[in-house]
Amino acid sequence: NGEVEPTVKSIELVEKEMEELLVVLNALNEKFGDTPEVLFNREILDLKKEEATEMLENLVKNKPDCYEASCLLGELLCEQERFKEAANVYQQALIYNPAEWDLYYNLGIVYTRLSDFQMAKEMYEKAAAINHKMYGANYNLGLIAFIQRDFDTAEKFFENSLYGDLEAMSYYQLAK
């Protein structure tokens, strides 16, 4: 039927991918900071987004199944408001990692930013189906329904998200 079966990666393969990612992170660190932790400091990343993005794009191009690099690249592209490119990165990552709920969740965020609410809904629903404790997906589904003035649906999603997000409680009360 053309569907890709999810595969379980060996520990050796995951370790190898992590080593490759660490090489890139260390290269970024040598260029921009003193310690690996500095790389994740948003102020430093904000100053060097283009260089970091370019290095991650090269890594993802050469290693499209490297989940961690795809996530970092998608995040950087979103921070630069390059949402269509981020969507492409996350979609490509899903080919190799179809069971990763956060890729669907991040795609939901991207499609929301692109005002493609139907695709955003589909992605949030897939994230919630994989990770039943993903209350943020229900919260975001509630926000989309709320924006579209579908208050009954919004109420349902906000209620489902209450277990994990207290801010949703206020939206729940508004929708109700």
Side-chain angles (χ1 to χ4, degrees):
N1 62 16
E3 290 184 29
V4 177
E5 285 294 318
T7 59
V8 177
K9 293 183 181 179
S10 70
I11 291 174
E12 294 83 21
L13 181 59
V14 171
E15 287 174 349
K16 186 174 188 293
E17 287 178 359
M18 289 303 296
E19 286 174 18
E20 291 173 3
L21 181 59
L22 284 174
V23 168
V24 171
L25 293 177
N26 286 331
L28 288 170
N29 178 52
E30 286 177 24
K31 195 170 182 180
F32 308 126
D34 297 328
T35 65
E37 292 79 17
V38 170
L39 176 64
F40 293 101
N41 179 315
R42 286 289 162 227
E43 292 175 13
I44 291 173
L45 271 181
D46 286 344
L47 295 174
K48 301 295 183 179
K49 283 181 187 173
E50 287 301 320
E51 291 91 341
T53 302
E54 185 177 321
M55 292 181 87
L56 286 167
E57 285 173 334
N58 287 333
L59 177 61
V60 169
K61 180 181 176 185
N62 294 319
K63 209 51 187 136
D65 60 335
C66 185
Y67 168 76
E68 293 81 5
S70 295
C71 289
L72 284 172
L73 178 57
E75 182 179 331
L76 281 173
L77 291 170
C78 286
E79 288 178 8
Q80 297 170 50
E81 298 186 9
R82 295 165 57 185
F83 299 113
K84 288 182 181 179
E85 292 171 73
N88 290 336
V89 168
Y90 290 134
Q91 288 287 1
Q92 181 70 26
L94 279 172
I95 293 170
Y96 299 98
N97 305 283
E100 296 293 342
W101 64 267
D102 55 333
L103 291 173
Y104 293 104
Y105 183 77
N106 290 339
L107 267 169
I109 292 170
V110 167
Y111 287 128
T112 299
R113 294 297 304 263
L114 292 170
S115 298
D116 187 343
F117 296 119
Q118 185 56 43
M119 285 299 295
K121 283 189 221 181
E122 289 177 28
M123 296 301 110
Y124 291 135
E125 287 168 353
K126 287 181 181 182
I130 294 170
N131 181 352
H132 300 292
K133 294 183 179 181
M134 183 63 239
Y135 304 115
N138 283 310
Y139 176 78
N140 289 341
L141 285 164
L143 284 178
I144 291 171
F146 192 82
I147 289 167
Q148 295 176 332
R149 306 188 65 76
D150 182 354
F151 299 119
D152 291 335
T153 302
E155 179 182 2
K156 178 189 84 168
F157 284 120
F158 286 138
E159 187 174 22
N160 289 339
S161 72
L162 292 176
Y163 301 107
D165 189 345
L166 295 178
E167 184 181 355
M169 180 85 70
S170 61
Y171 284 104
Y172 172 71
Q173 293 301 324
L174 284 173
K176 194 170 180 177

